[in-house]
Amino acid sequence: MIHYVGDIHQPLHAEAEVNSTYPSGDQGGNKETVPSTNGVSNLHSIWDSIIYQYTKDPTMPLSNTDWTWYTTTSAAWSAQYPAAANNIFPEDYMTWANQSYNMAINYVYPGFTTGQTPSTTYDNSAIPQVEANIMLAGARLANLIETIYSPSSLFLQ
């Protein structure tokens, strides 16, 4: 469930560019290559890595330093990008997917040129979009977990 909620908020899971270069689609940005930076070599992985900020998987189990970093970062993002209650759309997965699609067509593809490292302008525009979307995904996931596991749910009765 955690993975699926995260995936529906990754804009390149909701859109695939179809054009003369990619008549069958660009596979959600996976065919849109860029010069490799820390293992990030396509548009999809640029957005997965939060625009090159997190290109490596953390070492498991997490160290105290890593836990502190994740806690501090999530608290900062939560303060900077609060998820409004009227934007949760509980269990309205089509709205979630449509919002990701709109992010793809409004922020992911404009200003991106395959084969080239994205510009600083592109990165600076994209970073707040992806961070805010991560916080929205977290709020929606929390709401979904509360709905499923609340004492009033049929699941527990």
Side-chain angles (χ1 to χ4, degrees):
M1 179 173 61
I2 293 167
H3 190 110
Y4 289 131
V5 171
D7 275 356
I8 202 168
H9 289 85
Q10 207 296 15
L12 288 159
H13 285 198
E15 207 275 346
E17 186 172 62
V18 176
N19 57 26
S20 60
T21 303
Y22 307 110
S24 298
D26 71 353
Q27 296 179 352
N30 283 297
K31 288 187 173 182
E32 303 276 4
T33 60
V34 295
S36 184
T37 302
N38 295 324
V40 173
S41 58
N42 63 52
L43 182 59
H44 190 102
S45 60
I46 288 172
W47 281 75
D48 274 350
S49 68
I50 312 176
I51 321 303
Y52 296 108
Q53 292 186 77
Y54 312 100
T55 58
K56 305 288 184 209
D57 290 333
T59 302
M60 295 297 195
L62 292 177
S63 67
N64 288 338
T65 302
D66 289 339
W67 274 113
T68 299
W69 181 86
Y70 279 107
T71 302
T72 303
T73 300
S74 63
W77 287 1
S78 182
Q80 189 170 3
Y81 310 108
N86 66 346
N87 201 20
I88 300 297
F89 300 104
E91 300 178 65
D92 186 353
Y93 311 115
M94 186 56 73
T95 294
W96 299 2
N98 284 332
Q99 288 176 334
S100 287
Y101 168 79
N102 287 328
M103 182 178 280
I105 63 172
N106 291 312
Y107 294 100
V108 176
Y109 287 101
F112 175 81
T113 303
T114 194
Q116 296 179 13
T117 300
S119 68
T120 302
T121 301
Y122 180 90
D123 293 351
N124 290 340
S125 172
I127 289 169
Q129 299 303 318
V130 72
E131 290 174 349
N133 210 38
I134 288 169
M135 296 315 298
L136 181 58
R140 288 174 171 169
L141 176 62
N143 179 271
L144 184 59
I145 290 169
E146 288 175 356
T147 300
I148 293 169
Y149 296 107
S150 71
S152 62
S153 72
L154 294 176
F155 178 81
L156 296 176
Q157 293 180 357

